[in-house]
Short mmCIF file of all heavy atoms in Angstrom, two decimals:
data_model
loop_
_atom_site.label_atom_id
_atom_site.label_comp_id
_atom_site.label_asym_id
_atom_site.label_seq_id
_atom_site.Cartn_x
_atom_site.Cartn_y
_atom_site.Cartn_z
N PRO D 1 20.40 -24.01 12.05
CA PRO D 1 20.98 -23.05 11.12
C PRO D 1 20.87 -21.62 11.65
O PRO D 1 19.86 -21.26 12.24
CB PRO D 1 20.17 -23.22 9.85
CG PRO D 1 19.47 -24.52 9.97
CD PRO D 1 19.37 -24.82 11.41
N PRO D 2 21.87 -20.80 11.42
CA PRO D 2 21.86 -19.44 11.96
C PRO D 2 20.82 -18.53 11.31
O PRO D 2 20.39 -17.57 11.92
CB PRO D 2 23.28 -18.94 11.68
CG PRO D 2 23.80 -19.79 10.60
CD PRO D 2 23.11 -21.11 10.73
N LEU D 3 20.40 -18.81 10.09
CA LEU D 3 19.43 -17.95 9.42
C LEU D 3 18.01 -18.49 9.50
O LEU D 3 17.15 -18.08 8.73
CB LEU D 3 19.83 -17.77 7.95
CG LEU D 3 21.13 -17.00 7.71
CD1 LEU D 3 21.43 -16.95 6.23
CD2 LEU D 3 21.04 -15.61 8.28
N GLU D 4 17.77 -19.38 10.42
CA GLU D 4 16.44 -19.93 10.57
C GLU D 4 15.52 -18.85 11.13
O GLU D 4 15.80 -18.24 12.15
CB GLU D 4 16.48 -21.12 11.51
CG GLU D 4 15.16 -21.85 11.58
CD GLU D 4 15.28 -23.12 12.39
OE1 GLU D 4 16.30 -23.81 12.26
OE2 GLU D 4 14.35 -23.39 13.16
N VAL D 5 14.42 -18.61 10.43
CA VAL D 5 13.50 -17.55 10.81
C VAL D 5 12.16 -18.18 11.16
O VAL D 5 11.66 -19.04 10.45
CB VAL D 5 13.32 -16.56 9.64
CG1 VAL D 5 12.32 -15.48 9.99
CG2 VAL D 5 14.65 -15.94 9.25
N GLY D 6 11.59 -17.71 12.26
CA GLY D 6 10.29 -18.22 12.67
C GLY D 6 9.18 -17.65 11.81
O GLY D 6 9.36 -16.69 11.06
N ARG D 7 8.03 -18.23 11.93
CA ARG D 7 6.88 -17.80 11.15
C ARG D 7 6.49 -16.36 11.47
O ARG D 7 6.16 -15.58 10.58
CB ARG D 7 5.72 -18.74 11.44
CG ARG D 7 4.54 -18.61 10.54
CD ARG D 7 3.55 -19.72 10.86
NE ARG D 7 2.55 -19.90 9.87
CZ ARG D 7 2.69 -20.58 8.75
NH1 ARG D 7 3.83 -21.16 8.48
NH2 ARG D 7 1.71 -20.70 7.90
N ARG D 8 6.58 -16.00 12.73
CA ARG D 8 6.21 -14.65 13.14
C ARG D 8 7.18 -13.61 12.56
O ARG D 8 6.76 -12.56 12.09
CB ARG D 8 6.19 -14.58 14.66
CG ARG D 8 5.71 -13.28 15.21
CD ARG D 8 5.67 -13.34 16.71
NE ARG D 8 5.34 -12.04 17.23
CZ ARG D 8 4.45 -11.82 18.16
NH1 ARG D 8 3.81 -12.83 18.68
NH2 ARG D 8 4.22 -10.61 18.59
N GLN D 9 8.47 -13.90 12.60
CA GLN D 9 9.45 -12.97 12.06
C GLN D 9 9.33 -12.85 10.54
O GLN D 9 9.49 -11.77 9.99
CB GLN D 9 10.88 -13.40 12.43
CG GLN D 9 11.21 -13.22 13.88
CD GLN D 9 10.79 -14.39 14.74
OE1 GLN D 9 10.32 -15.42 14.25
NE2 GLN D 9 10.92 -14.25 16.04
N LEU D 10 9.04 -13.96 9.88
CA LEU D 10 8.87 -13.94 8.44
C LEU D 10 7.67 -13.08 8.05
O LEU D 10 7.74 -12.29 7.11
CB LEU D 10 8.71 -15.36 7.89
CG LEU D 10 8.53 -15.47 6.39
CD1 LEU D 10 9.76 -14.94 5.65
CD2 LEU D 10 8.26 -16.91 6.00
N ARG D 11 6.60 -13.22 8.78
CA ARG D 11 5.40 -12.43 8.51
C ARG D 11 5.69 -10.95 8.70
O ARG D 11 5.28 -10.12 7.87
CB ARG D 11 4.30 -12.89 9.46
CG ARG D 11 2.96 -12.47 9.07
CD ARG D 11 1.93 -13.20 9.90
NE ARG D 11 0.64 -12.59 9.66
CZ ARG D 11 -0.38 -12.72 10.44
NH1 ARG D 11 -0.30 -13.46 11.52
NH2 ARG D 11 -1.50 -12.14 10.16
N PHE D 12 6.38 -10.59 9.76
CA PHE D 12 6.75 -9.19 10.02
C PHE D 12 7.63 -8.67 8.88
O PHE D 12 7.41 -7.56 8.38
CB PHE D 12 7.49 -9.09 11.36
CG PHE D 12 7.99 -7.70 11.65
CD1 PHE D 12 7.12 -6.71 12.04
CD2 PHE D 12 9.33 -7.41 11.52
CE1 PHE D 12 7.57 -5.43 12.31
CE2 PHE D 12 9.80 -6.14 11.79
CZ PHE D 12 8.92 -5.15 12.19
N PHE D 13 8.59 -9.46 8.45
CA PHE D 13 9.48 -9.07 7.36
C PHE D 13 8.70 -8.83 6.07
O PHE D 13 8.92 -7.84 5.36
CB PHE D 13 10.55 -10.15 7.15
CG PHE D 13 11.47 -9.89 6.02
CD1 PHE D 13 12.44 -8.90 6.10
CD2 PHE D 13 11.36 -10.62 4.85
CE1 PHE D 13 13.29 -8.66 5.04
CE2 PHE D 13 12.21 -10.39 3.79
CZ PHE D 13 13.17 -9.40 3.88
N LEU D 14 7.77 -9.72 5.75
CA LEU D 14 6.99 -9.57 4.53
C LEU D 14 6.09 -8.34 4.58
O LEU D 14 5.92 -7.64 3.58
CB LEU D 14 6.16 -10.83 4.28
CG LEU D 14 6.97 -12.06 3.89
CD1 LEU D 14 6.05 -13.27 3.75
CD2 LEU D 14 7.76 -11.83 2.63
N PHE D 15 5.53 -8.04 5.75
CA PHE D 15 4.72 -6.83 5.89
C PHE D 15 5.57 -5.58 5.72
O PHE D 15 5.14 -4.60 5.11
CB PHE D 15 3.99 -6.79 7.24
CG PHE D 15 2.68 -7.51 7.22
CD1 PHE D 15 2.54 -8.73 7.85
CD2 PHE D 15 1.59 -6.98 6.57
CE1 PHE D 15 1.34 -9.40 7.84
CE2 PHE D 15 0.38 -7.64 6.54
CZ PHE D 15 0.25 -8.86 7.18
N CYS D 16 6.80 -5.60 6.22
CA CYS D 16 7.70 -4.45 6.05
C CYS D 16 8.05 -4.26 4.58
O CYS D 16 8.05 -3.13 4.07
CB CYS D 16 8.97 -4.64 6.86
SG CYS D 16 8.72 -4.42 8.62
N ILE D 17 8.35 -5.34 3.89
CA ILE D 17 8.67 -5.26 2.46
C ILE D 17 7.45 -4.76 1.67
O ILE D 17 7.58 -3.91 0.78
CB ILE D 17 9.14 -6.63 1.93
CG1 ILE D 17 10.46 -7.03 2.59
CG2 ILE D 17 9.26 -6.62 0.41
CD1 ILE D 17 11.62 -6.11 2.27
N ALA D 18 6.27 -5.25 2.00
CA ALA D 18 5.06 -4.80 1.32
C ALA D 18 4.81 -3.31 1.59
O ALA D 18 4.42 -2.57 0.68
CB ALA D 18 3.86 -5.63 1.78
N GLY D 19 5.06 -2.87 2.82
CA GLY D 19 4.90 -1.45 3.15
C GLY D 19 5.85 -0.57 2.37
O GLY D 19 5.47 0.52 1.90
N MET D 20 7.08 -1.02 2.20
CA MET D 20 8.04 -0.25 1.41
C MET D 20 7.61 -0.20 -0.06
O MET D 20 7.75 0.83 -0.72
CB MET D 20 9.43 -0.85 1.53
CG MET D 20 10.08 -0.55 2.86
SD MET D 20 11.79 -1.06 2.92
CE MET D 20 11.62 -2.74 3.46
N GLY D 21 7.08 -1.30 -0.56
CA GLY D 21 6.60 -1.32 -1.94
C GLY D 21 5.43 -0.36 -2.15
O GLY D 21 5.38 0.36 -3.15
N VAL D 22 4.51 -0.34 -1.21
CA VAL D 22 3.37 0.58 -1.30
C VAL D 22 3.83 2.03 -1.20
O VAL D 22 3.33 2.90 -1.92
CB VAL D 22 2.32 0.25 -0.20
CG1 VAL D 22 1.29 1.34 -0.08
CG2 VAL D 22 1.65 -1.07 -0.50
N CYS D 23 4.81 2.28 -0.37
CA CYS D 23 5.37 3.64 -0.24
C CYS D 23 5.99 4.07 -1.57
O CYS D 23 5.78 5.20 -2.02
CB CYS D 23 6.39 3.66 0.88
SG CYS D 23 7.15 5.27 1.13
N LEU D 24 6.74 3.20 -2.19
CA LEU D 24 7.37 3.52 -3.46
C LEU D 24 6.32 3.73 -4.55
O LEU D 24 6.41 4.69 -5.33
CB LEU D 24 8.32 2.39 -3.86
CG LEU D 24 9.18 2.61 -5.08
CD1 LEU D 24 10.11 3.80 -4.87
CD2 LEU D 24 10.00 1.37 -5.38
N LEU D 25 5.31 2.89 -4.58
CA LEU D 25 4.24 3.04 -5.56
C LEU D 25 3.48 4.35 -5.34
O LEU D 25 3.13 5.04 -6.31
CB LEU D 25 3.28 1.84 -5.47
CG LEU D 25 2.18 1.78 -6.49
CD1 LEU D 25 2.75 1.71 -7.91
CD2 LEU D 25 1.30 0.57 -6.23
N SER D 26 3.25 4.73 -4.09
CA SER D 26 2.60 6.00 -3.79
C SER D 26 3.42 7.17 -4.29
O SER D 26 2.86 8.14 -4.83
CB SER D 26 2.38 6.16 -2.28
OG SER D 26 1.50 5.21 -1.79
N ALA D 27 4.72 7.11 -4.12
CA ALA D 27 5.57 8.19 -4.59
C ALA D 27 5.49 8.33 -6.10
O ALA D 27 5.42 9.45 -6.63
CB ALA D 27 7.02 7.93 -4.16
N TYR D 28 5.48 7.21 -6.82
CA TYR D 28 5.35 7.27 -8.28
C TYR D 28 4.00 7.84 -8.70
O TYR D 28 3.91 8.66 -9.61
CB TYR D 28 5.55 5.89 -8.90
CG TYR D 28 6.98 5.44 -8.95
CD1 TYR D 28 7.35 4.20 -8.48
CD2 TYR D 28 7.98 6.26 -9.46
CE1 TYR D 28 8.67 3.77 -8.52
CE2 TYR D 28 9.30 5.85 -9.51
CZ TYR D 28 9.63 4.60 -9.04
OH TYR D 28 10.93 4.19 -9.07
N ILE D 29 2.94 7.42 -8.04
CA ILE D 29 1.61 7.92 -8.38
C ILE D 29 1.50 9.41 -8.05
O ILE D 29 0.93 10.19 -8.84
CB ILE D 29 0.52 7.09 -7.66
CG1 ILE D 29 0.51 5.67 -8.20
CG2 ILE D 29 -0.85 7.74 -7.83
CD1 ILE D 29 -0.38 4.72 -7.44
N ASN D 30 2.03 9.83 -6.90
CA ASN D 30 2.03 11.25 -6.55
C ASN D 30 2.75 12.09 -7.60
O ASN D 30 2.25 13.13 -8.01
CB ASN D 30 2.72 11.48 -5.19
CG ASN D 30 1.89 11.02 -4.04
OD1 ASN D 30 0.68 10.91 -4.13
ND2 ASN D 30 2.55 10.73 -2.93
N THR D 31 3.91 11.63 -8.02
CA THR D 31 4.68 12.36 -9.02
C THR D 31 3.93 12.43 -10.34
O THR D 31 3.88 13.49 -10.98
CB THR D 31 6.05 11.69 -9.23
OG1 THR D 31 6.70 11.59 -7.97
CG2 THR D 31 6.91 12.48 -10.17
N PHE D 32 3.33 11.32 -10.75
CA PHE D 32 2.58 11.29 -11.99
C PHE D 32 1.39 12.25 -11.94
O PHE D 32 1.18 13.04 -12.87
CB PHE D 32 2.09 9.86 -12.28
CG PHE D 32 1.16 9.76 -13.45
CD1 PHE D 32 1.66 9.85 -14.74
CD2 PHE D 32 -0.19 9.59 -13.26
CE1 PHE D 32 0.81 9.77 -15.83
CE2 PHE D 32 -1.05 9.50 -14.33
CZ PHE D 32 -0.55 9.60 -15.62
N LEU D 33 0.61 12.20 -10.86
CA LEU D 33 -0.55 13.07 -10.77
C LEU D 33 -0.16 14.54 -10.66
O LEU D 33 -0.85 15.41 -11.21
CB LEU D 33 -1.42 12.66 -9.58
CG LEU D 33 -2.16 11.34 -9.74
CD1 LEU D 33 -2.92 10.99 -8.48
CD2 LEU D 33 -3.10 11.38 -10.93
N ALA D 34 0.93 14.83 -9.97
CA ALA D 34 1.39 16.22 -9.88
C ALA D 34 1.81 16.73 -11.26
O ALA D 34 1.54 17.89 -11.60
CB ALA D 34 2.56 16.32 -8.90
N ALA D 35 2.42 15.89 -12.06
CA ALA D 35 2.82 16.30 -13.41
C ALA D 35 1.61 16.47 -14.31
O ALA D 35 1.53 17.43 -15.08
CB ALA D 35 3.78 15.28 -14.00
N VAL D 36 0.65 15.55 -14.22
CA VAL D 36 -0.55 15.64 -15.07
C VAL D 36 -1.37 16.88 -14.72
O VAL D 36 -1.87 17.57 -15.60
CB VAL D 36 -1.40 14.36 -14.92
CG1 VAL D 36 -2.77 14.53 -15.54
CG2 VAL D 36 -0.69 13.19 -15.56
N CYS D 37 -1.50 17.15 -13.42
CA CYS D 37 -2.29 18.31 -12.98
C CYS D 37 -1.49 19.61 -13.00
O CYS D 37 -2.04 20.66 -12.68
CB CYS D 37 -2.81 18.06 -11.56
SG CYS D 37 -3.92 16.68 -11.43
N GLN D 38 -0.22 19.53 -13.34
CA GLN D 38 0.68 20.68 -13.34
C GLN D 38 0.63 21.42 -12.00
O GLN D 38 0.50 22.64 -11.94
CB GLN D 38 0.36 21.62 -14.50
CG GLN D 38 0.56 20.98 -15.84
CD GLN D 38 0.14 21.85 -17.00
OE1 GLN D 38 -0.50 22.88 -16.81
NE2 GLN D 38 0.51 21.45 -18.20
N ALA D 39 0.70 20.67 -10.93
CA ALA D 39 0.62 21.22 -9.59
C ALA D 39 2.00 21.67 -9.11
O ALA D 39 3.00 21.06 -9.45
CB ALA D 39 0.06 20.18 -8.63
N ASP D 40 2.01 22.74 -8.33
CA ASP D 40 3.27 23.15 -7.71
C ASP D 40 3.52 22.27 -6.48
O ASP D 40 2.72 21.41 -6.14
CB ASP D 40 3.24 24.63 -7.34
CG ASP D 40 2.13 24.97 -6.36
OD1 ASP D 40 1.21 24.16 -6.21
OD2 ASP D 40 2.20 26.06 -5.74
N ALA D 41 4.64 22.49 -5.84
CA ALA D 41 5.03 21.62 -4.72
C ALA D 41 4.03 21.68 -3.57
O ALA D 41 3.71 20.65 -2.97
CB ALA D 41 6.43 22.01 -4.23
N LEU D 42 3.52 22.86 -3.26
CA LEU D 42 2.57 22.99 -2.15
C LEU D 42 1.26 22.27 -2.46
O LEU D 42 0.73 21.55 -1.62
CB LEU D 42 2.31 24.47 -1.85
CG LEU D 42 1.33 24.72 -0.71
CD1 LEU D 42 1.88 24.16 0.60
CD2 LEU D 42 1.03 26.20 -0.58
N ALA D 43 0.75 22.45 -3.66
CA ALA D 43 -0.51 21.79 -4.03
C ALA D 43 -0.34 20.28 -4.06
O ALA D 43 -1.21 19.54 -3.61
CB ALA D 43 -0.99 22.30 -5.39
N ALA D 44 0.79 19.82 -4.58
CA ALA D 44 1.03 18.38 -4.63
C ALA D 44 1.13 17.80 -3.23
O ALA D 44 0.62 16.70 -2.97
CB ALA D 44 2.30 18.09 -5.42
N THR D 45 1.77 18.52 -2.33
CA THR D 45 1.94 18.02 -0.97
C THR D 45 0.66 18.08 -0.15
O THR D 45 0.37 17.17 0.63
CB THR D 45 3.02 18.84 -0.24
OG1 THR D 45 4.17 18.92 -1.06
CG2 THR D 45 3.40 18.22 1.07
N ALA D 46 -0.13 19.14 -0.35
CA ALA D 46 -1.32 19.34 0.48
C ALA D 46 -2.57 18.68 -0.09
O ALA D 46 -3.48 18.33 0.66
CB ALA D 46 -1.57 20.83 0.66
N GLU D 47 -2.63 18.52 -1.41
CA GLU D 47 -3.87 18.05 -2.02
C GLU D 47 -3.76 16.66 -2.64
O GLU D 47 -4.67 15.85 -2.52
CB GLU D 47 -4.33 19.04 -3.08
CG GLU D 47 -4.63 20.41 -2.52
CD GLU D 47 -4.86 21.45 -3.60
OE1 GLU D 47 -4.86 21.08 -4.79
OE2 GLU D 47 -5.03 22.62 -3.24
N ILE D 48 -2.67 16.38 -3.32
CA ILE D 48 -2.57 15.12 -4.05
C ILE D 48 -2.03 13.99 -3.18
O ILE D 48 -2.61 12.90 -3.12
CB ILE D 48 -1.69 15.30 -5.31
CG1 ILE D 48 -2.36 16.29 -6.26
CG2 ILE D 48 -1.45 13.97 -5.99
CD1 ILE D 48 -1.51 16.68 -7.43
N ALA D 49 -0.95 14.24 -2.48
CA ALA D 49 -0.30 13.18 -1.70
C ALA D 49 -1.20 12.55 -0.63
O ALA D 49 -1.25 11.32 -0.53
CB ALA D 49 0.99 13.71 -1.07
N PRO D 50 -1.94 13.33 0.16
CA PRO D 50 -2.78 12.68 1.18
C PRO D 50 -3.85 11.76 0.57
O PRO D 50 -4.13 10.68 1.11
CB PRO D 50 -3.43 13.85 1.92
CG PRO D 50 -2.54 15.00 1.69
CD PRO D 50 -1.94 14.79 0.33
N VAL D 51 -4.43 12.19 -0.53
CA VAL D 51 -5.48 11.37 -1.17
C VAL D 51 -4.89 10.06 -1.68
O VAL D 51 -5.45 8.98 -1.46
CB VAL D 51 -6.15 12.16 -2.31
CG1 VAL D 51 -7.13 11.28 -3.07
CG2 VAL D 51 -6.84 13.39 -1.76
N VAL D 52 -3.75 10.15 -2.34
CA VAL D 52 -3.12 8.95 -2.88
C VAL D 52 -2.72 8.00 -1.75
O VAL D 52 -2.96 6.79 -1.82
CB VAL D 52 -1.90 9.32 -3.75
CG1 VAL D 52 -1.10 8.09 -4.11
CG2 VAL D 52 -2.34 10.06 -5.00
N GLU D 53 -2.13 8.53 -0.70
CA GLU D 53 -1.68 7.68 0.41
C GLU D 53 -2.84 7.01 1.12
O GLU D 53 -2.76 5.83 1.47
CB GLU D 53 -0.83 8.51 1.37
CG GLU D 53 0.50 8.91 0.77
CD GLU D 53 1.26 9.91 1.61
OE1 GLU D 53 0.82 10.20 2.74
OE2 GLU D 53 2.29 10.41 1.13
N GLU D 54 -3.92 7.73 1.32
CA GLU D 54 -5.09 7.12 1.99
C GLU D 54 -5.74 6.07 1.10
O GLU D 54 -6.20 5.04 1.60
CB GLU D 54 -6.10 8.19 2.39
CG GLU D 54 -5.60 9.13 3.47
CD GLU D 54 -5.18 8.42 4.74
OE1 GLU D 54 -5.86 7.47 5.16
OE2 GLU D 54 -4.16 8.82 5.33
N MET D 55 -5.76 6.30 -0.19
CA MET D 55 -6.31 5.30 -1.10
C MET D 55 -5.44 4.04 -1.11
O MET D 55 -5.97 2.92 -1.17
CB MET D 55 -6.43 5.86 -2.52
CG MET D 55 -7.48 6.94 -2.66
SD MET D 55 -9.12 6.42 -2.21
CE MET D 55 -9.48 5.30 -3.54
N MET D 56 -4.13 4.21 -1.03
CA MET D 56 -3.24 3.05 -0.99
C MET D 56 -3.45 2.26 0.30
O MET D 56 -3.37 1.03 0.29
CB MET D 56 -1.79 3.50 -1.11
CG MET D 56 -1.45 4.13 -2.45
SD MET D 56 -1.69 3.05 -3.84
CE MET D 56 -0.25 2.05 -3.71
N LYS D 57 -3.72 2.94 1.39
CA LYS D 57 -3.99 2.24 2.65
C LYS D 57 -5.34 1.53 2.62
O LYS D 57 -5.53 0.53 3.30
CB LYS D 57 -3.98 3.23 3.82
CG LYS D 57 -2.61 3.70 4.22
CD LYS D 57 -2.70 4.45 5.51
CE LYS D 57 -2.28 5.86 5.31
NZ LYS D 57 -2.38 6.67 6.52
N LEU D 58 -6.26 2.05 1.81
CA LEU D 58 -7.60 1.45 1.72
C LEU D 58 -7.62 0.21 0.84
O LEU D 58 -8.49 -0.65 0.99
CB LEU D 58 -8.57 2.50 1.17
CG LEU D 58 -10.03 2.13 1.07
CD1 LEU D 58 -10.61 1.91 2.47
CD2 LEU D 58 -10.80 3.19 0.34
N LEU D 59 -6.66 0.07 -0.07
CA LEU D 59 -6.67 -1.05 -1.02
C LEU D 59 -6.71 -2.44 -0.37
O LEU D 59 -7.49 -3.28 -0.82
CB LEU D 59 -5.48 -0.95 -1.96
CG LEU D 59 -5.63 0.06 -3.10
CD1 LEU D 59 -4.35 0.10 -3.92
CD2 LEU D 59 -6.81 -0.27 -3.97
N PRO D 60 -5.92 -2.71 0.66
CA PRO D 60 -6.02 -4.06 1.26
C PRO D 60 -7.41 -4.38 1.79
O PRO D 60 -7.90 -5.50 1.64
CB PRO D 60 -4.99 -4.04 2.40
CG PRO D 60 -4.03 -2.98 2.01
CD PRO D 60 -4.82 -1.96 1.26
N LEU D 61 -8.07 -3.38 2.37
CA LEU D 61 -9.43 -3.59 2.87
C LEU D 61 -10.40 -3.85 1.72
O LEU D 61 -11.26 -4.73 1.81
CB LEU D 61 -9.89 -2.38 3.68
CG LEU D 61 -11.30 -2.45 4.25
CD1 LEU D 61 -11.42 -3.61 5.24
CD2 LEU D 61 -11.66 -1.14 4.91
N VAL D 62 -10.25 -3.13 0.64
CA VAL D 62 -11.11 -3.33 -0.53
C VAL D 62 -10.92 -4.75 -1.09
O VAL D 62 -11.90 -5.44 -1.38
CB VAL D 62 -10.83 -2.27 -1.61
CG1 VAL D 62 -11.52 -2.61 -2.91
CG2 VAL D 62 -11.25 -0.90 -1.12
N PHE D 63 -9.67 -5.19 -1.22
CA PHE D 63 -9.42 -6.53 -1.72
C PHE D 63 -9.99 -7.59 -0.77
O PHE D 63 -10.54 -8.60 -1.21
CB PHE D 63 -7.93 -6.78 -1.94
CG PHE D 63 -7.37 -6.01 -3.11
CD1 PHE D 63 -6.14 -5.40 -3.02
CD2 PHE D 63 -8.08 -5.90 -4.29
CE1 PHE D 63 -5.62 -4.70 -4.09
CE2 PHE D 63 -7.57 -5.20 -5.36
CZ PHE D 63 -6.35 -4.59 -5.26
N TYR D 64 -9.88 -7.36 0.52
CA TYR D 64 -10.43 -8.29 1.51
C TYR D 64 -11.95 -8.38 1.38
O TYR D 64 -12.53 -9.47 1.40
CB TYR D 64 -10.03 -7.85 2.91
CG TYR D 64 -10.65 -8.67 4.01
CD1 TYR D 64 -10.17 -9.94 4.29
CD2 TYR D 64 -11.71 -8.18 4.76
CE1 TYR D 64 -10.72 -10.72 5.29
CE2 TYR D 64 -12.28 -8.94 5.75
CZ TYR D 64 -11.79 -10.20 6.01
OH TYR D 64 -12.36 -10.95 7.00
N LEU D 65 -12.60 -7.21 1.24
CA LEU D 65 -14.05 -7.21 1.12
C LEU D 65 -14.50 -7.83 -0.20
O LEU D 65 -15.52 -8.52 -0.23
CB LEU D 65 -14.57 -5.78 1.26
CG LEU D 65 -14.42 -5.16 2.65
CD1 LEU D 65 -14.86 -3.72 2.65
CD2 LEU D 65 -15.20 -5.96 3.68
N LEU D 66 -13.78 -7.56 -1.27
CA LEU D 66 -14.14 -8.17 -2.56
C LEU D 66 -13.98 -9.68 -2.53
O LEU D 66 -14.77 -10.39 -3.14
CB LEU D 66 -13.31 -7.56 -3.69
CG LEU D 66 -13.65 -6.12 -4.06
CD1 LEU D 66 -12.70 -5.62 -5.12
CD2 LEU D 66 -15.09 -6.02 -4.55
N ASP D 67 -12.99 -10.15 -1.80
CA ASP D 67 -12.80 -11.59 -1.66
C ASP D 67 -13.95 -12.20 -0.87
O ASP D 67 -14.41 -13.29 -1.16
CB ASP D 67 -11.47 -11.88 -0.96
CG ASP D 67 -11.16 -13.35 -0.92
OD1 ASP D 67 -11.31 -14.02 -1.96
OD2 ASP D 67 -10.78 -13.85 0.16
N GLY D 68 -14.46 -11.45 0.11
CA GLY D 68 -15.59 -11.94 0.90
C GLY D 68 -16.88 -12.01 0.11
O GLY D 68 -17.73 -12.85 0.36
N ILE D 69 -17.02 -11.14 -0.89
CA ILE D 69 -18.23 -11.15 -1.72
C ILE D 69 -18.30 -12.45 -2.52
O ILE D 69 -19.37 -13.04 -2.68
CB ILE D 69 -18.26 -9.92 -2.64
CG1 ILE D 69 -18.52 -8.67 -1.82
CG2 ILE D 69 -19.31 -10.08 -3.74
CD1 ILE D 69 -18.43 -7.39 -2.59
N ASP D 70 -17.16 -12.91 -3.01
CA ASP D 70 -17.14 -14.17 -3.77
C ASP D 70 -17.55 -15.37 -2.90
O ASP D 70 -18.14 -16.30 -3.39
CB ASP D 70 -15.74 -14.43 -4.34
CG ASP D 70 -15.40 -13.43 -5.44
OD1 ASP D 70 -16.32 -12.82 -5.99
OD2 ASP D 70 -14.20 -13.28 -5.71
N LYS D 71 -17.24 -15.31 -1.63
CA LYS D 71 -17.56 -16.42 -0.74
C LYS D 71 -19.02 -16.45 -0.33
O LYS D 71 -19.50 -17.45 0.18
CB LYS D 71 -16.66 -16.37 0.50
CG LYS D 71 -15.22 -16.61 0.15
CD LYS D 71 -14.32 -16.52 1.37
CE LYS D 71 -12.87 -16.72 0.93
NZ LYS D 71 -11.95 -16.55 2.03
N LEU D 72 -19.75 -15.34 -0.53
CA LEU D 72 -21.15 -15.30 -0.18
C LEU D 72 -22.02 -16.11 -1.14
O LEU D 72 -23.08 -16.59 -0.79
CB LEU D 72 -21.65 -13.85 -0.14
CG LEU D 72 -21.12 -12.99 1.01
CD1 LEU D 72 -21.63 -11.56 0.85
CD2 LEU D 72 -21.55 -13.55 2.34
N ASP D 73 -21.58 -16.24 -2.37
CA ASP D 73 -22.37 -16.97 -3.38
C ASP D 73 -22.36 -18.44 -3.17
O ASP D 73 -21.58 -19.09 -2.66
CB ASP D 73 -21.86 -16.65 -4.79
CG ASP D 73 -22.10 -15.18 -5.14
OD1 ASP D 73 -23.01 -14.59 -4.55
OD2 ASP D 73 -21.36 -14.67 -6.00
#
């Protein structure tokens, strides 16, 4: 079949889709926090966005570590 996708390509595709979803979620969270804090564009870009983006990148590691804690028992 012409649309047959290998396991490696499927995994890459799913990671790309997940990355886009995290990017979109980060944008929503940035906008929400900027509105709640009544931040101007510079403050939102320099102070809020980096923190939110780094926390979003940290989430997979946190979930991985929390899953490992359950396996220790």
Side-chain angles (χ1 to χ4, degrees):
L3 294 177
E4 187 173 320
V5 178
R7 191 174 194 82
R8 185 177 174 134
Q9 289 85 6
L10 180 62
R11 196 168 170 199
F12 176 75
F13 177 73
L14 291 177
F15 274 107
C16 287
I17 295 296
M20 286 188 272
V22 168
C23 180
L24 187 62
L25 185 60
S26 295
Y28 284 130
I29 293 172
N30 287 338
T31 305
F32 173 75
L33 290 177
V36 168
C37 297
Q38 297 176 348
D40 60 343
L42 180 63
T45 311
E47 298 171 4
I48 296 173
V51 174
V52 170
E53 291 170 8
E54 293 302 320
M55 291 301 291
M56 295 299 283
K57 286 190 243 178
L58 184 66
L59 282 178
L61 179 62
V62 170
F63 289 139
Y64 175 76
L65 292 175
L66 289 176
D67 186 46
I69 289 174
D70 291 341
K71 294 179 183 176
L72 290 176
D73 294 336

